[in-house]
Amino acid sequence: MSKSIRAFAPATVANVACGFDILGFSVEAPGDEVVITLTEGKGVSIKAIHGDEGLLPLDTSENTVSLVIQEYLNAIGKPDLGVEIELFKQMPLKSGLGSSAASSVVGVFALNKLLGEPLSQQELLPFAMKGEELACGSAHADNVAPALLGGFVLVRSYDPLDIIELPTPEKLHATIIHPHIEVKTKDARAILRKEVAMSEAVTQWGNVAGLIAGLMKSDYELIGRSLQDVIVEPVRSILIPGFDQAKKAAMENGALGCSISGSGPSIFALSTSQETAEKIGKGMQAVFDAINIESEVYISKVSQDGPKVVS
Ligand code: HSE
């Protein structure tokens, strides 16, 4: 058995407009990497975290990767196994790109591989959800499930947990823009209304069903028509200066649809080619440039795959 493994887990777009807390997809890049090493010693330790500008805790009880790994070790009956973690953050924190989810997933995925896969990939999900709970106060699965399983994923139910992997139409590309403003997931959840009107619910579940049908049929027009959120986006978009103009720019440059990525501040748009995805990115970036907000753009196909072993 190999003593060390390096693995990658992707960034994810949660909610996908209409599917608050129940839909997400993964992209091919960016993503986080980890090196997990089995040691002679006892217990979980963190060797180093790179690329986080010192923001992530090195204390194993506060760090999502070590917490998830410890929960996993307890569950497989090896609570004292010596495990060393080296994490390489390759995407911005608190961005709406599923950064904490990628870290939670990559650690437990790598260790499970190193130990000869005592658990299936689906069985790793509840551990990764614990990392999400630690990172942002809520154990939602719409980032961790696609980061772990790849492609589009539906959380049909939280209790009991029922995760449905959906097909990913071949041509789908994502443009994600990360404007440099901070929106904490906790805050972005706290401002949401606790109740919705029946008429809004009808619109929203029509769109969720339409989006799922569009994915199943590779019907890009239907996917586009369904990328609408009448419940969460109108509330959260006020936290993102330039959101309305950026969305308009995305649509004018050929996006099928556009909304907030996860809890923001990143914004995503879907399209059917690399060229259109790039045009959308330029259009959105010009909006943030004009209001003096720095931003970076990520362009990637919507991934068919989840985490992978790098070496
Ligand atoms: N569904 C979650 C939310 C995703 O929108 O709060 C957070 O990353």
Side-chain angles (χ1 to χ4, degrees):
M1 186 167 60
S2 155
K3 288 279 222 184
S4 183
I5 193 169
R6 187 178 185 116
F8 164 93
T12 44
V13 170
N15 302 335
V16 201
C18 49
F20 178 70
D21 274 1
I22 63 153
L23 275 175
F25 66 79
S26 60
V27 291
E28 288 176 347
D32 283 350
E33 286 191 9
V34 76
V35 174
I36 298 286
T37 306
L38 295 182
T39 66
E40 298 296 327
K42 261 181 144 194
V44 179
S45 60
I46 300 173
K47 182 181 173 193
I49 301 178
H50 309 276
D52 69 327
E53 292 169 7
L55 291 172
L56 293 176
L58 290 160
D59 179 335
T60 50
S61 63
E62 287 173 33
N63 182 280
T64 51
V65 186
S66 48
L67 174 113
V68 170
I69 282 181
Q70 189 61 59
E71 293 279 343
Y72 164 85
L73 289 174
N74 296 347
I76 62 164
K78 295 184 176 173
D80 296 325
L81 193 72
V83 175
E84 187 188 75
I85 301 163
E86 187 171 11
L87 179 65
F88 300 82
K89 292 296 302 175
Q90 294 171 351
M91 64 175 116
L93 278 66
K94 297 184 194 146
S95 57
L97 283 158
S99 165
S100 58
S103 293
S104 296
V105 164
V106 77
V108 72
F109 165 81
L111 181 57
N112 193 51
K113 282 275 180 210
L114 200 53
L115 296 178
E117 297 188 84
L119 298 185
S120 71
Q121 206 119 319
Q122 279 250 6
E123 285 172 328
L124 300 179
L125 188 59
F127 307 108
M129 287 170 70
K130 292 229 158 119
E132 208 62 335
E133 188 168 21
L134 178 71
C136 48
S138 149
H140 52 269
D142 50 343
N143 286 112
V144 278
L148 183 63
L149 302 171
F152 272 89
V153 178
L154 165 69
V155 186
R156 194 214 48 92
S157 157
Y158 275 88
D159 188 17
L161 196 57
D162 189 4
I163 303 294
I164 318 293
E165 294 177 58
L166 300 165
T168 301
E170 177 57 34
K171 289 199 278 181
L172 271 190
H173 284 68
T175 306
I176 307 173
I177 185 159
H178 171 227
H180 292 192
I181 38 180
E182 195 175 303
V183 174
K184 290 198 181 97
T185 297
K186 230 181 221 168
D187 299 341
R189 295 181 78 83
I191 62 166
L192 296 177
R193 290 173 289 154
K194 301 289 170 274
E195 285 169 7
V196 297
M198 180 63 92
S199 59
E200 290 171 336
V202 170
T203 303
Q204 198 85 354
W205 60 53
N207 282 322
V208 172
L211 179 52
I212 306 286
L215 294 171
M216 310 273 316
K217 294 162 61 148
S218 289
D219 182 335
Y220 297 100
E221 297 299 320
L222 177 55
I223 291 169
R225 291 202 299 285
S226 308
L227 286 173
Q228 296 198 42
D229 171 11
V230 297
I231 295 174
V232 174
E233 183 187 298
V235 181
R236 282 185 171 171
S237 57
I238 55 173
L239 302 174
I240 309 170
F243 175 81
D244 290 342
Q245 298 92 311
K247 181 169 174 168
K248 190 163 174 267
M251 298 311 292
E252 283 172 0
N253 281 290
L256 296 170
C258 172
S259 188
I260 302 169
S261 176
S263 56
S266 292
I267 301 169
F268 81 96
L270 289 179
S271 60
T272 54
S273 74
Q274 174 81 17
E275 198 192 338
T276 311
E278 283 170 11
K279 261 177 69 188
I280 293 167
K282 288 202 178 93
M284 290 202 284
Q285 196 154 42
V287 169
F288 287 107
D289 286 350
I291 54 173
N292 295 320
I293 295 178
E294 277 182 46
S295 63
E296 67 260 345
V297 174
Y298 300 92
I299 289 170
S300 159
K301 277 190 92 167
V302 176
S303 169
Q304 309 275 347
D305 308 312
K308 55 183 183 233
V309 173
V310 175
S311 60

